[in-house]
Amino acid sequence: MSAQQTTPPSEATSGAGFRLPPTVTEAITTPAKPGGRSSGRGTRSRAARLAGLAWVVPALVLLGVFVYLPLVQNIAFSTQEWDIYSGISEFVGLKNYEKLLQDPVFWSSLSNNLLYAALSIVFQVGGALVLAAMIESLRSIRWRKALRAIYFVPSAISLTVAGLLFYFIYEPNLGLLNNLLDALGLDALAQPWLGQESTAMVAIIAMSQWQGFGYSTLLFAVAIQRIPSELYEAASLDGIGPVRRFLHVTVPLVREMTGLMVIVTVSGAFQVFNEVMVMTSGGPNNSTQVLATWLYRSGFVRNDFGYAAAIATVIFVVTLLIAVAQLWYTRRKKVDF
């Protein structure tokens, strides 16, 4: 009985008589390993994961150095009584936090931040959503584009410039607002808007809403554009009016954007700084102090950096809790379409 001759892999041919490439030949003639997976695939996947990790490591290093390390250092500084000019520091434990609880300006600042956040949610979330829905309901594409641009213009102005602009608008003698009220015969309403405790904080918040309203509107407009038009057409065929379409179609389907805007708005409300510093610097009589300005004054004016670090820790904890709660709620109510 003669021995069978085997064709070398490099010379294997197909049934049609032409030569197969070496890689294809090896795949045909080499028996598959148990499990159906080659060891090379696992090696390549591990190499791909390591390569991906190599791209992520620099970002993680930057986050650690510029975000997480300063955060840990700030918490450590909040337990010290620290004079930055002399370099002398003393561990005092939770003394700075006890001082917070007894500081009336801190509580006034916190209440101003809460008022700022509440009004921002009403106007920059609720009002912006209504305005975006009205713009996107227009049939004219030109009008939609024009209105988006018009409302977005104030957002392109820096907060410092906007603060200076409204500082002169609110000026009691030569300001545009009081002169307009006089021209309309409402001179009894004219008053020093930034010079009295009852109106100063509301005036600052009004300026901030004007500056950020268009940005929120544009984001909601983008979210509304993602909603399938068939849903609105079906609602129209069922005889549903524009208000009910807004409440039962638009609002539920932009829930994720609404959650994101609430997080951004509330976080921004607890980090307000430029507007207050430009317009009132926390006055009159500390009535417009917010947490960020009181932090600045405590650290760089009163040279109490341990106390300022405690205020910064409070800001971080409040914004973190709000963000986590809102993300949890948004994920539970996630809508796929």
Side-chain angles (χ1 to χ4, degrees):
M1 184 176 180
S2 61
Q4 293 181 348
Q5 295 181 351
T6 58
T7 303
S10 61
E11 299 179 359
T13 59
S14 68
F18 57 85
R19 192 179 302 277
L20 295 172
T23 54
V24 177
T25 304
E26 292 173 2
I28 296 174
T29 59
T30 303
K33 294 184 178 181
R37 293 185 179 180
S38 63
S39 59
R41 181 177 300 177
T43 303
R44 286 195 299 270
S45 63
R46 287 194 296 270
R49 287 195 295 268
L50 291 175
L53 183 61
W55 286 98
V56 173
V57 165
L60 293 177
V61 171
L62 291 175
L63 279 174
V65 172
F66 293 104
V67 177
Y68 298 113
L69 179 59
L71 177 61
V72 173
Q73 289 179 327
N74 179 81
I75 295 174
F77 292 153
S78 70
T79 62
Q80 300 175 12
E81 189 172 315
W82 182 26
D83 186 337
I84 192 173
Y85 300 112
S86 65
I88 300 175
S89 61
E90 177 186 357
F91 179 78
V92 294
L94 299 178
K95 182 179 178 180
N96 287 320
Y97 294 97
E98 295 175 359
K99 185 178 177 180
L100 279 177
L101 298 177
Q102 301 172 3
D103 184 2
V105 180
F106 167 77
W107 291 109
S108 174
S109 302
L110 180 60
S111 64
N112 285 336
N113 280 110
L114 291 173
L115 176 64
Y116 199 107
L119 293 179
S120 296
I121 290 175
V122 171
F123 290 101
Q124 292 192 34
V125 179
L129 176 57
V130 173
L131 179 61
M134 294 173 63
I135 292 175
E136 294 305 313
S137 65
L138 297 176
R139 294 185 178 181
S140 173
I141 298 178
R142 289 185 177 181
W143 273 109
R144 292 205 299 264
K145 292 181 178 180
L147 290 175
R148 289 182 206 137
I150 291 171
Y151 282 109
F152 183 74
V153 167
S155 300
I157 303 174
S158 71
L159 286 172
T160 302
V161 174
L164 289 172
L165 173 64
F166 272 78
Y167 177 83
F168 291 109
I169 290 176
Y170 289 139
E171 206 279 331
N173 298 318
L174 302 176
L176 178 62
L177 180 56
N178 281 350
N179 285 328
L180 179 61
L181 292 174
D182 290 340
L184 295 175
L186 301 174
D187 52 300
L189 299 178
Q191 51 193 303
W193 299 96
L194 298 176
Q196 56 187 11
E197 298 180 20
S198 59
T199 58
M201 193 64 211
V202 176
I204 294 174
I205 295 175
M207 183 281 298
S208 180
Q209 303 311 305
W210 171 84
Q211 199 271 341
F213 190 76
Y215 179 74
S216 302
T217 301
L218 186 63
L219 291 180
F220 276 120
V222 173
I224 292 173
Q225 291 171 14
R226 294 180 60 246
I227 300 175
S229 58
E230 294 82 0
L231 298 178
Y232 289 108
E233 294 173 0
S236 299
L237 291 175
D238 290 339
I240 298 177
V243 176
R244 292 182 60 193
R245 283 202 303 270
F246 171 76
L247 294 176
H248 298 287
V249 178
T250 304
V251 173
L253 294 181
V254 297
R255 185 179 290 120
E256 291 184 45
M257 179 59 73
T258 304
L260 174 62
M261 289 307 303
V262 169
I263 294 173
V264 172
T265 301
V266 174
S267 298
F270 278 91
Q271 299 173 22
V272 172
F273 180 78
N274 287 4
E275 303 94 309
V276 177
M277 288 300 295
V278 169
M279 299 179 72
T280 63
S281 296
N285 195 26
N286 290 324
S287 62
T288 59
Q289 291 284 3
V290 290
L291 291 177
T293 57
W294 190 234
L295 180 157
Y296 171 82
R297 183 170 293 276
S298 298
F300 293 97
V301 178
R302 301 168 61 193
N303 192 23
D304 193 350
F305 277 84
Y307 185 68
I311 298 175
T313 303
V314 170
I315 296 175
F316 167 72
V317 171
V318 171
T319 54
L320 177 64
L321 291 177
I322 293 173
V324 170
Q326 186 61 42
L327 285 173
W328 173 80
Y329 176 78
T330 303
R331 288 180 180 178
R332 286 189 59 201
K333 301 294 185 178
K334 185 176 180 180
V335 177
D336 295 323
F337 55 87

